[in-house]
C-alpha cells in the first residue's frame, strides 16, 4: 500500500538515427525517480526499473510485467518513454530497437512497435488493480497521443482508472531531449514557488513550457488524483516551512481574497500577546489562519516570516500531538530552538520531567532557555480550530497557553487562536470577532473563481455572508450538470446535492462505496486524521472498499468533501473537509444519506482491534498513535464503557503528567455515566492516584489511595484483587513519603491476604515480599533483609524466570545487603556474577 513503482524505457530505432541524449538521459530520469528523497519509487519489476534499447518482445513483456506487479500489489505505476516514436493516422507508436525498414520507410504496426494507447488500455483491463497510473512520454511524433488518450483510454474501461499523462507534443524530432532534461532538473531542484511538498504533472508542465520553447507539453487527466505525484518537492527540503505542506493551507488559500479582517488580525498580533479569533461555522476563521502562513498571496497585508508555527487542530489532536507539531516546526524555523530543546532533555532530571506535560517539555522549557540566552525576536504560534480539541487535551493546552500569554519569560511569544464563540478559552487575550463577510469580498472571491455574473447574486443571497457556503456553491455551479433553476438553499441541500452527483441515489454505489467510506471518515472527525490502512479496514467492515485502490477511488470522486495528507504514500491520512459535513453524514434525520453514527464507530473499533490491538500498544506506530488519541472515544460512542477504560489503561503515554490529565478529564464522564460505585469508576480513581504519585506528589497519591480503599472494601470486598492492589499502593506511597516503619507494617499485614487470595506464587505476592525485605533493610535490619531477599530469590527464579527484571533486582539487593553486612569480597563476587 502506497508503494510507487517506476519503469523508464529509453529506446532508439537505428533506422531513424542516433539520439545523442540516450541512454544517459534515461539513466538520469530513472536515478531521480528511484531516489528515496526525490521520486521515492521502487523498480517496476525485479531489481531495476530501467530498460534500454529493447526489442519489441522485450518492450511488450517489460511493460506487461510492470502492470502485473503493480496490480498484484495495488501500487501506483509510473511509466516513462524516451526516444523514437511515430504515428500513423490516429495511432501513436513507441519504436523498439529491432524495427526494420520497409521500402526505406519505417512503418510501425501493433506487431512491430508498441501501440501506446491500445496496449495500456488492454493491460489495464487485464490488471485492473493498479492504484493509479502516470505516463511520461518524450518522443518525436507524439503530438497526437494526448488527444487520443483522453477519449480512448476512458472508453470501455472495465474498472475506474486514475491516470495522468505528461507528454512532449512537438511534431519535430525529439531534438536534444529538452522535455526530459527539464523534468530531471525540476525533480532534482524542486519548485520554489510551490507550497506543497510534492510535484504534480500540472506544475512541471508549466516549467517545461518555459524552458523548452519548441515543445508544447500536454497533460490529459482522468479522475485527477493528488496522490499521483511525480516527486517530492526538493525546494521544501532546502527551505522548510512545514505548515506550507499541510493540505489545509493550500485548500483554504486557493482563491484567497485579502480582507480588512486579515489586516486587523495582523495589526492586533503585533502588540497583543494573544489574539482570539472568534466566529461561527463558515465565517472564515481557518482561511485567516492559513493566510498568515502565505504572505506572498496577501497583497502585502502579512509581513514575510510572520508565522513560526501553524497547527490545524482536529478531533484527534492530543496535547502530545500538538506539542510534537509545534516543536517540529520551531526546530525548522529557529535552529537555536532545537539546540535548547535537546539541551533541556539532556540536563533535566527524571523527576522533573515526570511533572511536566508534553507542551512544557517540548515547547515551553526550550523557549524559556532560548529567551534566557538571546532575543530572537517575536515568535508567533497559530492554533486553528481550538473548539475541535477534545476535553481530554483542552485543560493541559489551556494551562500552557496561559503561561505563554502572561509569563514575563515569554514576552516575545505571540499567540493567535481561532475558535467558535461558544468555546471557553480562559487565556488573557484580545478578541477579534468575525461576522458575516462583506459583499465586496465575496464578489471578489467569486470573480477569482470565474463564477458567471448571472449566478453571483443567487449565491450571495443563499450564503448570507457565510464563506463556507459561498465556497461550496462555487464548487456546485462549476459542475456542467448544475441546474440553475434548482439551486441548493442550505448546507444540507448542498451536501445532499454533492452526494447525489456522486451516485449516492444508486443503491449499490451508495451501499458498497460512498456510505462505508464517508461514514468512517465522518466518525473520525474533520481534517486529515485517519490512517488510510485503518480507513480501508473499517470501510470493509461496513461492506465497502477494503483495499487502498478502492478507497482512493472514492476519495478522488469525493475530492470536494474530503481532505488528504501525504496522498499516495504509506503515511496517507484522510478525513472529511469540515465538521458540518461529518455532522450531516452522521445524522439519520438528514434523509436518504443519514447514517446511524454507531455503525462507523463500531467499524473503527473492530478495525483497531485487528490492526492495532491495545494489548500490544506500540506508541511509534501510526495506527497505534491514532488509537491512543481516539479509540476511547469510539468505544464510548458505542456504549462499551469498560473497554474504553481498558483503552485508557493500555494506551497510556510516556509522559506522566499527560496520563494524569487524561484520566482526570475522563473521570468526570465516567462518574456521570456509570456512577460512583461502578468498578470502572473505582479503577479510574486508582489510576488518578497512581499517576498523581508518578508526577512527583507522593502525599497526594497516598491521600487519594486512602480515600479509595474503603469504597473498594464496600463495593468489591476486602479480598478483591483491586482492593489488595490499593492496599499495596498505600503501603508503597507511605514508604515514599518517608514513613518506612509504617510501610513495613502495612506490607506485613497485606502479605497473608495476598498469599491466601492470590496464592504464594502470584507476582503481586512476590512483589510484596520484596517490598518487605527492602523496608526491613531501610529500618536498619540489614541481616534480616538479606535473609528475606535470599529466601525470595529461588521463588522468583522459579515463577518469573532468571532474566526477569524483578529477579535481577533481588540479586542486586542481595549483593548490596551482603556488602552492608561487612562481607565486601562476597558482595563484589555477587555483583560481578550479576552484571553479564
Amino acid at each position: 500500500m502506497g508503494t510507487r513503482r517506476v519503469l523508464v524505457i529509453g529506446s532508439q530505432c537505428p533506422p531513424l538515427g542516433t539520439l545523442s541524449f540516450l541512454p544517459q538521459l534515461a539513466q538520469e530520469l530513472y536515478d531521480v525517480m528511484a531516489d528515496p528523497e526525490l521520486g521515492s519509487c521502487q523498480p517496476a519489476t525485479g531489481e531495476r526499473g530501467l530498460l534500454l534499447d529493447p526489442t519489441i518482445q522485450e518492450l511488450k513483456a517489460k511493460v506487461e510485467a510492470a502492470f502485473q506487479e503493480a496490480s498484484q500489489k495495488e501500487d501506483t505505476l509510473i511509466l516513462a518513454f524516451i526516444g523514437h516514436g511515430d504515428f500513423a493516422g490516429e495511432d501513436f507508436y513507441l519504436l523498439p530497437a529491432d524495427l526494420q525498414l520497409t521500402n526505406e520507410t519505417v512503418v510501425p504496426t501493433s506487431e512491430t512497435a508498441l501501440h501506446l494507447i491500445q496496449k495500456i488500455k488492454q493491460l489495464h483491463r487485464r490488471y485492473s488493480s493498479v492504484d493509479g497510473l502516470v505516463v511520461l512520454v518524450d518522443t518525436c511524433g507524439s503530438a497526437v497521443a494526448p488527444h487520443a488518450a483522453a477519449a480512448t483510454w476512458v472508453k470501455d474501461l472495465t474498472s475506474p482508472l486514475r491516470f495522468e499523462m505528461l507528454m512532449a507534443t512537438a511534431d519535430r524530432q525529439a531534438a536534444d531531449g529538452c522535455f526530459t532534461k527539464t523534468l530531471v532538473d525540476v525533480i532534482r531542484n524542486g519548485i520554489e514557488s510551490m507550497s506543497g511538498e510534492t510535484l504534480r504533472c500540472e506544475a512541471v508542465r508549466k516549467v517545461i513550457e518555459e524552458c523548452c520553447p519548441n515543445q508544447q507539453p500536454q497533460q490529459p487527466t482522468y479522475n485527477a488524483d493528488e496522490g499521483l505525484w511525480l516527486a517530492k518537492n526538493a525546494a521544501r527540503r532546502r527551505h522548510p516551512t512545514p505548515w506550507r505542506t499541510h493540505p489545509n493551507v493550500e485548500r483554504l488559500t486557493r482563491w484567497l481574497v485579502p480582507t480588512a479582517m486579515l489586516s486587523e488580525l495582523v495589526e492586533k498580533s503585533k502588540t497583543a500577546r494573544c489574539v482570539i479569533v472568534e466566529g461561527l461555522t463558515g465565517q472564515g476563521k481557518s482561511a485567516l489562519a492559513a493566510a498568515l502562513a502565505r504572505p506572498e498571496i496577501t497583497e502585502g497585508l502579512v509581513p514575510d516570516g510572520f508565522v513560526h508555527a501553524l497547527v490545524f487542530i482536529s478531533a484527534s489532536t492530543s496535547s502530545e500531538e500538538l506539542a510534537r507539531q509545534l516543536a517540529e516546526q520551531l526546530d525548522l524555523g529557529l535552529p537555536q530552538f532545537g539546540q535548547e530543546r535537546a539541551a533541556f532533555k539532556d540536563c533535566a532530571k527524571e523527576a522533573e520531567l515526570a511533572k511536566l506535560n508534553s507542551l512544557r517539555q517540548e515547547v515551553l522549557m526550550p523557549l524559556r532557555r532560548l529567551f534566557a540566552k538571546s532575543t530572537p525576536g517575536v515568535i508567533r504560534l497559530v492554533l486553528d480550530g481550538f473548539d475541535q480539541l477534545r476535553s481530554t487535551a483542552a485543560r493541559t493546552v489551556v494551562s500552557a497557553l496561559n503561561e505563554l500569554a502572561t509569563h514575563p519569560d515569554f514576552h516575545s511569544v505571540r499567540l493567535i487562536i481561532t475558535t467558535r464563540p461558544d468555546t471557553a478559552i480562559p487565556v488573557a487575550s484580545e478578541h477579534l470577532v468575525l461576522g458575516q463577510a462583506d459583499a465586496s469580498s465575496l464578489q471578489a472571491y467569486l470573480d477569482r473563481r470565474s463564477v458567471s455574473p448571472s449566478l453571483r447574486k443567487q449565491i450571495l443571497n443563499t450564503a448570507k455572508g457565510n464563506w463556507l457556503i459561498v465556497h461550496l456553491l462555487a464548487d456546485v455551479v462549476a459542475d456542467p450538470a448544475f441546474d440553475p433553476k434548482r439551486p441548493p438553499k442550505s448546507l444540507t441541500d448542498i451536501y445532499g446535492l454533492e452526494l447525489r452527483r456522486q451516485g449516492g441515489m444508486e443503491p449499490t454505489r451508495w451501499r458498497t462505496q460512498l456510505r462505508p467510506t464517508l461514514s468512517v471518515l465522518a466518525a473520525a472527525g474533520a481534517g486529515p486524521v485517519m490512517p488510510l490502512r485503518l480507513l480501508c479496514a473499517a470501510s470493509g467492515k461496513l461492506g465497502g472498499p477494503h483495499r487502498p485502490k478502492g478507497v482512493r477511488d472514492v476519495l478522488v470522486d469525493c475530492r470536494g468533501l474530503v481532505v488528504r495528507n501525504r496522498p499516495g504514500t504509506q503515511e496517507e491520512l484522510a478525513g472529511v473537509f469540515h465538521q458540518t459535513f461529518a455532522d450531516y453524514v452522521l445524522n439519520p434525520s438528514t434523509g436518504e444519506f443519514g447514517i446511524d453514527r454507531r455503525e462507523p464507530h463500531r467499524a473503527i473499533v473492530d478495525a483497531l482491534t485487528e490492526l492495532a490491538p491495545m494489548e500490544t500498544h506500540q506508541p511509534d506506530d501510526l495506527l497505534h498513535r491514532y488509537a491512543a488519541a481516539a479509540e476511547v472515544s469510539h468505544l464510548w460512542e458505542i456504549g462499551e464503557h469498560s473497554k474504553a477504560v481498558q483503552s485508557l489503561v493500555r494506551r497510556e503515554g510516556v509522559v506522566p503528567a499527560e496520563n494524569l490529565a487524561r484520566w482526570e478529564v475522563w473521570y468526570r464522564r465516567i462518574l456521570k455515566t456509570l456512577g460512583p460505585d461502578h468498578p470502572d469508576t473505582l479503577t479510574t480513581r486508582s489510576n488518578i492516584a497512581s499517576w498523581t504519585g508518578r508526577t512527583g506528589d507522593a502525599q497526594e497519591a497516598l491521600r487519594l489511595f486512602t480515600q479509595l480503599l474503603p469504597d473498594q472494601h464496600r463495593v468489591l470486598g476486602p479480598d478483591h484483587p483491586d482492593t489488595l492492589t490499593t492496599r499495596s499502593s498505600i503501603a508503597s506511597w507511605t514508604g515514599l513519603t518517608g514513613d518506612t516503619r509504617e510501610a513495613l507494617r502495612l506490607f506485613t499485614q497485606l502479605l497473608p491476604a495476598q498469599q491466601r487470595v492470590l496464592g504464594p506464587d502470584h507476582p503481586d505476592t512476590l512483589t510484596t515480599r520484596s517490598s518487605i525485605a527492602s523496608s526491613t533493610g531501610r529500618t536498619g535490619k540489614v541481616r534480616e533483609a538479606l535473609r528475606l531477599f535470599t529466601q525470595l530469590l529461588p521463588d522468583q527464579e522459579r515463577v518469573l524466570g532468571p532474566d526477569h527484571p524483578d529477579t535481577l533486582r533481588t540479586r542486586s539487593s542481595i549483593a548490596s545487603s551482603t556488602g552492608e553486612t561487612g562481607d565486601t569480597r562476597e558482595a563484589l563476587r555477587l555483583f560481578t556474577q550479576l552484571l553479564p
Side-chain angles (χ1 to χ4, degrees):
M1 180 186 73
T3 300
R4 293 155 43 84
R5 298 184 177 275
V6 66
L7 173 61
V8 176
I9 299 172
S11 180
Q12 301 187 77
C13 180
L16 297 180
T18 301
L19 295 172
S20 61
F21 53 81
L22 284 177
Q24 180 180 347
L25 211 49
Q27 179 70 59
E28 290 182 13
L29 178 59
Y30 175 72
D31 288 343
V32 295
M33 292 304 296
D35 188 324
E37 297 301 320
L38 298 175
S40 191
C41 288
Q42 299 294 321
T45 61
E47 297 181 356
R48 192 162 173 78
L50 178 64
L51 181 64
L52 298 174
D53 295 333
T55 65
I56 183 58
Q57 295 304 321
E58 292 171 338
L59 179 56
K60 289 181 177 179
K62 192 72 171 181
V63 172
E64 179 163 356
F67 262 86
Q68 183 178 18
E69 183 79 7
S71 181
Q72 287 176 349
K73 303 289 180 60
E74 294 192 13
D75 291 335
T76 298
L77 179 60
I78 300 175
L79 298 177
F81 301 92
I82 310 169
H84 283 123
D86 201 359
F87 64 91
E90 296 296 314
D91 298 323
F92 174 70
Y93 295 91
L94 298 165
L95 307 183
D98 61 345
L99 184 65
Q100 302 298 314
L101 288 172
T102 302
N103 297 325
E104 299 185 354
T105 303
V106 174
V107 182
T109 68
S110 295
E111 286 74 35
T112 61
L114 187 71
H115 190 307
L116 178 64
I117 307 300
Q118 182 186 68
K119 185 65 176 177
I120 290 182
K121 185 174 72 171
Q122 292 172 347
L123 291 174
H124 181 258
R125 285 175 176 170
R126 191 179 310 164
Y127 306 111
S128 60
S129 294
V130 174
D131 188 18
L133 176 67
V134 178
V135 180
L136 309 171
V137 179
D138 184 11
T139 70
C140 45
S142 60
V144 71
H147 308 288
T152 308
W153 287 18
V154 178
K155 185 179 179 182
D156 299 329
L157 289 175
T158 56
S159 66
L161 172 63
R162 288 173 275 114
F163 76 80
E164 293 199 5
M165 294 181 71
L166 186 59
M167 310 184 73
T169 62
D171 292 340
R172 59 187 64 85
Q173 290 290 319
D176 60 353
C178 182
F179 177 97
T180 304
K181 284 181 180 178
T182 305
L183 176 60
V184 170
D185 185 64
V186 170
I187 292 174
R188 282 178 178 155
N189 298 300
I191 301 177
E192 294 281 357
S193 59
M194 279 192 59
S195 62
E197 65 178 341
T198 57
L199 301 175
R200 296 279 306 280
C201 286
E202 180 180 4
V204 174
R205 175 178 63 82
K206 295 177 181 178
V207 178
I208 294 174
E209 282 180 337
E210 296 173 359
C211 297
C212 303
N214 291 329
Q215 298 287 352
Q216 293 179 334
Q218 299 294 313
Q219 187 205 350
T221 300
Y222 179 71
N223 273 349
D225 177 6
E226 57 188 310
L228 296 181
W229 42 275
L230 285 176
K232 299 175 183 177
N233 189 1
R236 295 277 69 80
R237 190 168 66 249
R238 292 193 306 274
H239 307 291
T241 48
W243 55 85
R244 293 280 296 274
T245 66
H246 195 286
N248 283 354
V249 173
E250 171 64 24
R251 178 176 62 85
L252 292 166
T253 60
R254 193 166 295 152
W255 295 282
L256 181 75
V257 175
T259 64
M261 278 296 183
L262 178 60
S263 177
E264 186 177 350
L265 174 58
V266 170
E267 291 306 310
K268 280 183 177 291
S269 183
K270 288 179 179 178
T271 56
R273 290 181 62 172
C274 180
V275 180
I276 306 292
V277 181
E278 293 183 355
L280 298 173
T281 298
Q283 290 187 324
K285 302 183 295 296
S286 296
L288 281 179
L292 296 173
R294 297 194 65 189
E296 72 277 7
I297 63 171
T298 63
E299 300 175 3
L301 295 186
V302 180
D304 289 338
F306 191 69
V307 171
H308 297 86
L310 165 60
V311 176
F312 292 95
I313 295 172
S314 71
S316 67
T317 302
S318 63
S319 53
E320 296 101 314
E321 176 64 16
L322 177 60
R324 184 188 66 79
Q325 291 192 44
L326 288 173
E328 286 181 353
Q329 295 183 37
L330 290 171
D331 276 350
L332 292 171
L334 300 169
Q336 58 271 55
F337 175 86
Q339 297 170 10
E340 295 302 332
R341 183 174 169 225
F344 169 71
K345 292 289 185 69
D346 289 341
C347 69
K349 297 180 179 179
E350 186 175 347
E352 179 184 4
L353 291 175
K355 299 177 183 180
L356 302 176
N357 58 47
S358 295
L359 278 165
R360 295 185 183 280
Q361 288 188 28
E362 303 291 336
V363 181
L364 272 68
M365 297 305 293
L367 281 177
R368 180 172 275 122
R369 290 175 60 95
L370 176 62
F371 292 146
K373 295 181 179 179
S374 62
T375 54
V378 169
I379 296 174
R380 191 167 280 103
L381 313 179
V382 182
L383 306 182
D384 175 67
F386 188 89
D387 50 284
Q388 295 290 315
L389 201 63
R390 295 181 189 272
S391 58
T392 49
R395 189 180 71 170
T396 299
V397 173
V398 166
S399 174
L401 296 179
N402 248 321
E403 189 164 348
L404 286 171
T406 60
H407 198 285
D409 287 354
F410 304 113
H411 61 89
S412 294
V413 174
R414 299 291 182 270
L415 300 174
I416 296 176
I417 304 168
T418 76
T419 187
R420 289 172 54 90
D422 55 359
T423 305
I425 308 181
V427 178
S429 56
E430 288 198 22
H431 287 244
L432 179 64
V433 180
L434 303 183
Q436 293 182 355
D438 62 274
S440 60
S441 296
L442 297 176
Q443 286 275 15
Y445 173 80
L446 294 174
D447 182 57
R448 294 188 179 198
R449 299 219 38 192
S450 301
V451 173
S452 166
S454 62
L455 295 172
R456 292 181 189 177
K457 184 176 180 180
Q458 188 179 81
I459 291 176
L460 294 176
N461 288 339
T462 301
K464 294 181 175 57
N466 186 287
W467 278 106
L468 175 62
I469 295 177
V470 170
H471 162 75
L472 291 171
L473 286 174
D475 287 343
V476 167
V477 302
D479 192 312
F482 171 67
D483 181 2
K485 296 179 181 179
R486 302 179 61 186
K489 293 182 173 57
S490 65
L491 273 178
T492 298
D493 288 347
I494 294 172
Y495 293 144
L497 175 61
E498 288 294 333
L499 291 178
R500 284 191 288 275
R501 282 182 177 177
Q502 295 303 327
M505 296 303 292
E506 199 282 304
T508 301
R509 165 79 165 157
W510 175 246
R511 187 180 69 254
T512 65
Q513 293 180 319
L514 297 176
R515 184 183 191 275
T517 304
L518 293 178
S519 65
V520 169
L521 292 177
V529 297
M530 174 158 282
L532 185 69
R533 193 153 65 98
L534 178 60
L535 173 58
C536 291
S539 170
K541 292 186 178 300
L542 295 176
H546 64 284
R547 303 291 299 169
K549 179 186 181 300
V551 169
R552 284 181 174 137
D553 286 341
V554 175
L555 296 178
V556 170
D557 288 343
C558 299
R559 62 176 63 86
L561 301 174
V562 301
V563 289
R564 300 163 69 188
N565 198 4
R566 300 186 179 277
T569 70
Q570 296 186 14
E571 295 80 34
E572 180 169 350
L573 302 172
V576 295
F577 88 107
H578 200 273
Q579 188 59 41
T580 56
F581 181 59
D583 296 339
Y584 171 85
V585 170
L586 299 181
N587 183 358
S589 66
T590 54
E592 63 267 27
F593 301 125
I595 296 169
D596 182 348
R597 64 188 307 115
R598 289 172 296 183
E599 291 182 47
H601 285 292
R602 163 59 67 188
I604 294 171
V605 165
D606 291 346
L608 284 173
T609 300
E610 293 180 3
L611 299 178
M614 64 177 78
E615 293 79 10
T616 56
H617 184 58
Q618 303 169 28
D620 293 334
D621 180 83
L622 184 64
L623 267 63
H624 284 268
R625 286 205 304 271
Y626 176 87
E631 182 183 50
V632 59
S633 296
H634 292 305
L635 285 163
W636 201 264
E637 284 283 348
I638 60 177
E640 295 202 0
H641 303 132
S642 291
K643 285 189 176 179
V645 173
Q646 289 179 30
S647 179
L648 289 171
V649 172
R650 299 293 182 91
R651 300 201 190 273
E652 289 172 333
V654 297
V655 180
E658 300 283 358
N659 293 326
L660 174 59
R662 193 169 182 232
W663 276 108
E664 287 178 332
V665 170
W666 271 98
Y667 174 64
R668 292 191 287 271
R669 189 181 301 184
I670 292 168
L671 178 64
K672 181 179 179 180
T673 303
L674 304 181
D677 289 344
H678 193 281
D680 290 333
T681 306
L682 299 177
T683 295
T684 302
R685 289 174 61 187
S686 176
N687 278 278
I688 290 173
S690 177
W691 284 111
T692 296
R694 292 166 71 175
T695 57
D697 194 343
Q699 289 286 0
E700 179 64 8
L702 177 58
R703 186 185 71 81
L704 292 172
F705 275 120
T706 303
Q707 285 183 339
L708 173 63
L709 183 60
D711 293 331
Q712 287 180 320
H713 263 286
R714 175 174 51 82
V715 176
L716 305 176
D719 289 342
H720 191 280
D722 288 356
T723 306
L724 298 178
T725 297
T726 295
R727 290 178 61 187
S728 176
S729 297
I730 290 173
S732 295
W733 289 112
T734 297
L736 289 170
T737 59
D739 194 345
T740 304
R741 294 187 181 279
E742 178 63 9
L744 175 58
R745 186 185 70 80
L746 293 171
F747 278 125
T748 304
Q749 285 183 341
L750 171 63
L751 182 60
Q754 286 181 320
Q755 290 173 324
R756 174 173 51 82
V757 175
L758 304 177
D761 290 341
H762 191 279
D764 287 356
T765 306
L766 298 177
T767 297
T768 296
R769 289 176 60 189
S770 177
S771 297
I772 290 172
S774 297
S775 299
T776 297
R778 283 194 289 271
T779 62
K781 299 178 180 179
V782 178
R783 293 188 181 280
E784 177 63 10
L786 175 59
R787 185 184 69 80
L788 293 172
F789 278 125
T790 304
Q791 286 181 340
L792 173 62
L793 181 60
D795 293 332
Q796 287 181 320
E797 289 176 327
R798 173 174 52 83
V799 176
L800 305 177
D803 292 338
H804 192 279
D806 287 355
T807 306
L808 300 177
R809 196 172 293 114
T810 295
R811 289 177 61 187
S812 178
S813 297
I814 289 174
S816 296
S817 299
T818 298
E820 289 179 43
T821 62
D823 194 346
T824 309
R825 291 185 182 277
E826 178 61 9
L828 175 59
R829 187 186 69 81
L830 293 171
F831 276 126
T832 303
Q833 284 184 339
L834 172 62
L835 181 60

